[in-house]
Amino acid sequence: MTRPPTDPPARVLIVSGDIGQGHEAVACAVHTTVTRDRPDCDIRVAEAFARMGHGSGPVFRWLFEFAVQWTPLLQEAWYGAVTHSRLVRWFYREVMGAWVARALRSDLAGPPTDVVVSTHQLATAGLAWLRRRGLLDARIVAAVCDFAPHAYWTYPGVDEYLVLDDLAREPTRRMDPGAHVTVRSPLVGAPFGPVGDREARAVRRELGLPHDALVVVVTAGSLGLGGVAGAVRAALAADPRCHVVALCGRDERARTRLKALRARMRAGDRLRVPGWVDDVPTLLAAADVVVNNSGGATAQEALASGRTLVIHQPLPGHGRDSARLLGAAGLARTCRRPRELTALLRSWIADPAALAAAHTRAARWSVRHARVDLAAVLGLPAPAPAPVEEPAVPGPDDERGPRLVGSAR
């Protein structure tokens, strides 16, 4: 449907949650894509925890970090309870939903909002709470940031879920049978994309990486959850040709420990431990393998770059579920122990064709659903066609008219 030129621009609200960078990265991707494809839209962005007040963001972030890092069994128990316990589900659907709903009311005030996109599960709970009570008419679209959907992401009242792979479609439908589910991937905001050998060599020269090395990027996301030291040791042990770039996010203590590890292992230039990296697309263009421990934004970015993805010691709960789905889709290998990662990297050094095949699978995934019109999935009308101006018909005294050769003028 094409919007008549006299209609006001469609209003879009994107709601994220500041726990790590993954949810905000997906929000940025939605904003960038919709702005590009529907430049006439009025797009606003809100961060749910900032609206909830009382230090909600830091508290939720600390609880998440503590559970994943120090009490993984408790994290697994909570993850299972959200799936199987009606009481826990009711708590998130009604109690947490009401809290978030009250916090977001001010962002929904004023002229009617046409569509709200949520990239955090608690934001989705609040929006769905408003919808069920008839307090929100806008279309609600939930972008699931992990490869594996979970009951924590789904709430009655949502119109559409965006998932990252075909294998996530049916599980999401079972969790919320009334909603539509669309595969739209990758949801990355920066210019990630597969690169050819010539471009990869040029990027390596720029970064000072050997062109004939197996470059392994090890990352645990912006929070550094789960750590990277085990994966770094395993990669360095695989072969002298392995060069590792270890990303610790904002975990400065982990960065200090890795620098000490570099000295102990006499790794020299084979181990780089940069600070916070803004230009991730360039770094991934230089990589052969990306080692991660979850199936969130970093996994998307790696696959979107056509790089081979390995899930090493996946995080409890969402990390393990996403690792299973990525494995079933043929998009990643899972290594539960460091020695498995060492053996896998050695096998790719011995058989470059197998590594190239993994690159090809990643690149195919990155374009399979990228052509889906995200703005259309959100329910936004097509932009009005540019008006066609009728050519002016010059009058007898119009100086803009054609001059006749040999005329008195």
Side-chain angles (χ1 to χ4, degrees), residues 98-123:
W99 184 10
V100 181
R102 285 193 296 271
L104 294 176
R105 290 292 292 272
S106 62
D107 290 290
L108 296 166
T113 299
D114 294 291
V115 58
V116 186
V117 184
S118 169
T119 67
H120 192 278
Q121 48 269 45
L122 285 182

Side-chain angles (χ1 to χ4, degrees), residues 78-134:
W78 167 84
Y79 192 77
V82 176
T83 303
H84 302 294
S85 171
R86 292 183 179 180
L87 179 60
V88 175
R89 288 283 295 150
W90 173 87
F91 173 79
Y92 281 104
R93 185 178 66 247
E94 302 299 337
V95 178
M96 295 300 296
W99 184 10
V100 181
R102 285 193 296 271
L104 294 176
R105 290 292 292 272
S106 62
D107 290 290
L108 296 166
T113 299
D114 294 291
V115 58
V116 186
V117 184
S118 169
T119 67
H120 192 278
Q121 48 269 45
L122 285 182
T124 304
L127 296 167
W129 189 94
L130 291 169
R131 164 61 64 77
R132 293 194 302 273
R133 283 154 182 80

Side-chain angles (χ1 to χ4, degrees), residues 134-176:
L135 301 174
L136 179 62
D137 292 330
R139 176 175 170 79
I140 301 174
V141 179
V144 180
C145 298
D146 295 322
F147 271 83
H150 181 242
Y152 189 33
W153 279 97
T154 57
Y155 296 92
V158 174
D159 297 292
E160 183 100 31
Y161 293 95
L162 300 178
V163 297
L164 298 174
D165 191 78
D166 292 311
L167 294 183
R169 196 194 302 263
E170 285 306 315
T172 307
R173 284 175 175 160
R174 289 195 296 269
M175 294 173 195
D176 188 359

Side-chain angles (χ1 to χ4, degrees), residues 92-407:
Y92 281 104
R93 185 178 66 247
E94 302 299 337
V95 178
M96 295 300 296
W99 184 10
V100 181
R102 285 193 296 271
L104 294 176
R105 290 292 292 272
S106 62
D107 290 290
L108 296 166
T113 299
D114 294 291
V115 58
V116 186
V117 184
S118 169
T119 67
H120 192 278
Q121 48 269 45
L122 285 182
T124 304
L127 296 167
W129 189 94
L130 291 169
R131 164 61 64 77
R132 293 194 302 273
R133 283 154 182 80
L135 301 174
L136 179 62
D137 292 330
R139 176 175 170 79
I140 301 174
V141 179
V144 180
C145 298
D146 295 322
F147 271 83
H150 181 242
Y152 189 33
W153 279 97
T154 57
Y155 296 92
V158 174
D159 297 292
E160 183 100 31
Y161 293 95
L162 300 178
V163 297
L164 298 174
D165 191 78
D166 292 311
L167 294 183
R169 196 194 302 263
E170 285 306 315
T172 307
R173 284 175 175 160
R174 289 195 296 269
M175 294 173 195
D176 188 359
H180 293 279
V181 182
T182 298
V183 181
R184 174 55 166 87
S185 55
L187 283 172
V188 290
F192 295 91
V195 298
D197 291 340
R198 180 178 299 178
E199 185 178 354
R201 285 195 297 269
V203 173
R204 288 192 180 191
R205 284 195 301 270
E206 178 184 342
L207 298 178
L209 291 166
H211 74 277
D212 56 349
L214 183 77
V215 177
V216 181
V217 173
V218 180
T219 174
S222 65
L223 299 177
L225 294 179
V228 299
V232 168
R233 285 192 294 265
L236 291 174
D239 192 278
R241 288 167 287 181
C242 278
H243 283 243
V244 179
V245 181
L247 305 181
C248 302
R250 295 189 172 92
D251 191 342
E252 292 297 330
R253 289 178 295 180
R255 185 173 295 110
T256 300
R257 289 193 294 268
L258 283 176
K259 289 179 179 178
L261 174 66
R262 178 174 58 195
R264 288 198 306 273
M265 295 189 68
R266 298 179 181 177
D269 290 340
R270 291 181 58 218
L271 173 58
R272 300 191 181 191
V273 191
W276 181 265
V277 175
D278 289 316
D279 190 4
V280 177
T282 296
L283 177 60
L284 295 188
D288 292 299
V289 180
V290 177
V291 179
N292 185 234
N293 56 12
S294 66
T298 301
Q300 282 196 73
E301 292 167 356
L303 294 172
S305 302
R307 303 298 92 184
T308 297
L309 177 65
V310 177
I311 306 296
H312 176 254
Q313 294 182 335
L315 295 176
H318 68 288
R320 292 178 185 173
D321 271 3
S322 290
R324 282 191 287 267
L325 188 147
L326 285 162
L331 297 174
R333 299 281 294 273
T334 298
C335 298
R336 301 192 179 278
R337 296 177 178 81
R339 64 173 178 267
E340 295 176 12
L341 177 58
T342 299
L344 180 60
L345 296 176
R346 285 174 178 167
S347 72
W348 281 331
I349 290 175
D351 185 7
L355 183 62
H359 287 345
T360 300
R361 287 192 295 272
R364 286 175 178 169
W365 174 87
S366 72
V367 300
R368 188 180 307 155
H369 299 291
R371 297 187 182 92
V372 173
D373 186 345
L374 178 60
V377 173
L378 299 186
L380 299 175
V388 178
E389 295 185 2
E390 294 291 334
V393 178
D397 296 323
D398 192 344
E399 291 296 332
R400 295 170 298 174
R403 292 182 178 272
L404 301 179
V405 176
S407 69

